[in-house]
Amino acid sequence: MSKLILSRRRFIGLGTAGLSSVALGGCDLFDGLGDRSSSARDFLEKANDLTYRVQRLLIGNALAPEYSESEIRQGMRPNGSTNPQTDEYLALKANNFADYRLQFAGLVETPKSYSLEELRNMPSRTQITRHDCVEGWSCIAKWTGTPLSAVLDEVKLKPSARYLVFHCYDTLGSGRAGPVSYYESCDLVDARHPQTILAYGLNDKVLPVSNGAPIRVRIERQLGYKQPKYVHTIEAVDSFSSIGRGKGGYWEDRGYEWYAGI
Ligand SMILES: Nc1nc2c(c(=O)[nH]1)N[C@H]1C(S)=C(S)[C@@H](COP(=O)(O)O)O[C@H]1N2
Ligand SMILES: [Mo]
């Protein structure tokens, strides 16, 4: 395994700087790569793939910066969908989301759903973090929610699970293809990251509709479009091939990079 890391290291041209942190479960890191390690071409094929692996190598499981109360900026500017109009969502909203259930599906041992109350009764985490949108703005906001890892401990991922897909209530676009549901995804490192939460609170208030009520996921080391709002189902998968156009997200299917680490 160390040989693999070494050759890859030289390959990427990183020299030795900062690589002591590679001790982080080196084997886990390259698990998904093992079967493909003979083909360096495969490895280089996509720039995004390279970015992903380099970042995972260097950043490991580091936390995103957290800020103080005084640094909270301008509320949380709503962007993308801000008021979903699907029948299902409108019905839930009319009842103040009392009937909402977050569904866990796909490659989980225990497919299970959670009411908002159940999620709120689990351990919570509050963090003040910066949200960066690719459109060139950022906000610092305080998020409260249930660590996703705590829920994953309950539903238990099957060994074949490699990613989580977040399915949302809102739809975007009205072209020939008609409206398409927003969706996003992350790998299991981000899924289990301590700052990855199922957020139901924003700046000490209940998460408003404009920012993703009743549940929006915070994946703090990723760009804005990787922070799905209005989530109704979290599906564990081993590939994205059967979801949307197969690139792992609404915007990824339209050209954005899947790994938007910051
Ligand atoms: N369901 C859903 N999630 C979404 C979007 C969306 O349109 N629908 N937009 C994304 C983008 S591009 C950004 S910048 C953030 C905006 O989050 P905010 O409205 O809380 O500021 O949500 C992301 N998550
Ligand atoms: Mo964004």
Side-chain angles (χ1 to χ4, degrees):
M1 185 49 79
S2 62
K3 216 164 147 199
L4 174 66
I5 294 176
L6 267 176
S7 62
R8 218 164 278 290
R9 181 196 294 185
R10 213 174 297 128
F11 195 45
I12 300 167
L14 286 171
T16 48
L19 278 154
S20 45
S21 61
V22 167
L24 52 94
C27 286
D28 290 353
L29 192 64
F30 286 112
D31 261 3
L33 208 68
D35 8 341
R36 306 195 323 185
S37 59
S38 57
S39 165
R41 216 180 333 123
D42 197 16
F43 174 71
L44 262 186
E45 235 162 38
K46 292 194 194 106
N48 189 219
D49 202 35
L50 183 63
T51 309
Y52 169 67
R53 290 174 204 289
V54 171
Q55 291 233 8
R56 278 282 173 263
L57 206 76
L58 295 175
I59 300 174
N61 220 17
L63 296 181
E66 294 195 14
Y67 298 80
S68 62
E69 299 270 345
S70 63
E71 292 171 290
I72 294 176
R73 279 211 305 259
Q74 67 171 76
M76 183 68 198
R77 166 183 167 164
N79 195 44
S81 295
T82 54
N83 193 12
Q85 293 299 313
T86 55
D87 291 346
E88 216 182 347
Y89 186 81
L90 290 174
L92 287 171
K93 187 171 86 166
N95 203 12
N96 208 16
F97 302 107
D99 303 318
Y100 169 82
R101 297 197 74 86
L102 177 63
Q103 200 78 42
F104 282 79
L107 300 172
V108 292
E109 301 288 355
T110 322
K112 206 175 159 183
S113 71
Y114 291 81
S115 67
L116 272 181
E117 204 191 336
E118 286 168 329
L119 290 173
R120 287 196 192 109
N121 284 335
M122 290 180 73
S124 77
R125 179 181 165 102
T126 294
Q127 58 206 26
I128 302 175
T129 52
R130 198 184 70 204
H131 175 106
D132 297 306
C133 175
V134 285
E135 289 165 13
W137 54 270
S138 59
C139 292
I140 294 176
K142 181 181 189 177
W143 301 96
T144 301
T146 313
L148 179 52
S149 63
V151 189
L152 294 179
D153 286 344
E154 290 191 359
V155 302
K156 293 191 180 64
L157 296 176
K158 291 189 173 171
S160 51
R162 294 187 62 200
Y163 309 101
L164 297 185
V165 178
F166 306 99
H167 298 278
C168 307
Y169 281 113
D170 60 312
T171 57
L172 289 178
S174 51
R176 238 180 330 140
V180 179
S181 295
Y182 198 89
Y183 79 99
E184 254 306 331
S185 61
C186 70
D187 68 4
L188 299 187
V189 177
D190 271 335
R192 291 205 166 273
H193 188 273
Q195 289 168 317
T196 297
I197 59 173
L198 305 169
Y200 47 74
L202 171 60
N203 293 337
D204 294 317
K205 303 207 175 74
V206 173
L207 180 69
V209 166
S210 55
N211 298 107
I215 291 288
R216 88 88 57 78
V217 182
R218 294 298 307 170
I219 301 176
E220 298 293 356
R221 293 177 319 168
Q222 300 279 344
L223 287 173
Y225 62 92
K226 303 290 294 187
Q227 321 289 328
K229 312 196 276 187
Y230 319 112
V231 174
H232 61 76
T233 301
I234 299 182
E235 181 186 8
V237 300
D238 57 5
S239 106
F240 303 132
S241 55
S242 63
I243 297 159
R245 297 184 196 159
K247 295 285 194 332
Y250 175 88
W251 286 115
E252 286 86 334
D253 283 344
R254 287 153 187 82
Y256 284 32
E257 293 190 340
W258 176 73
Y259 188 74
I262 45 177

